[in-house]
């Protein structure tokens, strides 16, 4: 289950959009240039890059991406605190990035045109 909530920057008390519908999430984010997809769960501990090679190849072609890596952040990860601090700080990226979850979840907050988009991405179970 993933979730999207969209707020007016001037009034964060109630979302103007709140949905868990993947199609609505995708179409809403597409309006601001963000791609959202749900892929079938194929792998947890196997070779993630091999398991998702067809989808990754499409993204590399469409987005012009040159590199792909896998990051696992579990409670026992030795650099978990440092990584968490990095991701909690608001920051921007000069280039597009792709994130997909085979396990766990990530919350992304995007600011665009006086609106705040809270996107909770979770792995299928």
């Amino acid at each position: 289950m993933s979730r999207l909530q969209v707020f007016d920057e001037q009034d964060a008390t109630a979302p103007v959009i709140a949905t868990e519908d993947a199609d609505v999430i995708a179409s809403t984010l597409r309006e601001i240039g963000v791609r959202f997809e749900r892929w079938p769960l194929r792998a947890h501990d196997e070779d993630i890059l091999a398991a998702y090679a067809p989808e990754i190849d499409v993204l590399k072609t469409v987005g012009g991406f040159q590199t792909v890596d896998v990051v696992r952040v579990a409670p026992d990860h030795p650099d978990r605190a440092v990584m968490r601090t990095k991701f909690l700080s608001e920051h921007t990226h000069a280039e597009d990035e792709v994130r997909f979850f085979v396990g766990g979840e990530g919350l992304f907050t995007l600011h665009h045109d006086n609106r705040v988009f809270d996107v909770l991405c979770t792995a299928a179970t």
Side-chain angles (χ1 to χ4, degrees), residues 34-114:
V34 174
R35 185 175 179 151
F36 176 86
E37 298 178 3
R38 299 232 4 133
W39 298 347
L41 183 61
R42 285 196 204 109
H44 277 291
D45 297 322
E46 303 133 38
D47 184 349
I48 300 297
L49 297 179
Y52 292 95
E55 290 90 349
I56 292 168
D57 288 344
V58 168
L59 288 176
K60 287 174 73 174
T61 299
V62 171
F65 300 107
Q66 301 296 311
T67 61
V68 178
D69 63 355
V70 175
V71 176
R72 294 181 181 170
V73 182
D76 61 346
H77 191 288
D79 295 325
R80 181 177 175 264
V82 172
M83 293 175 79
R84 180 172 162 72
T85 300
K86 173 186 169 190
F87 286 113
L88 285 176
S89 300
E90 186 169 329
H91 59 281
T92 60
H93 295 271
E95 300 174 351
D96 288 344
E97 289 194 353
V98 175
R99 299 281 188 247
F100 80 93
F101 299 84
V102 177
E105 62 187 22
L107 178 64
F108 300 89
T109 303
L110 313 169
H111 295 261
H112 188 273
D113 284 341
N114 298 315

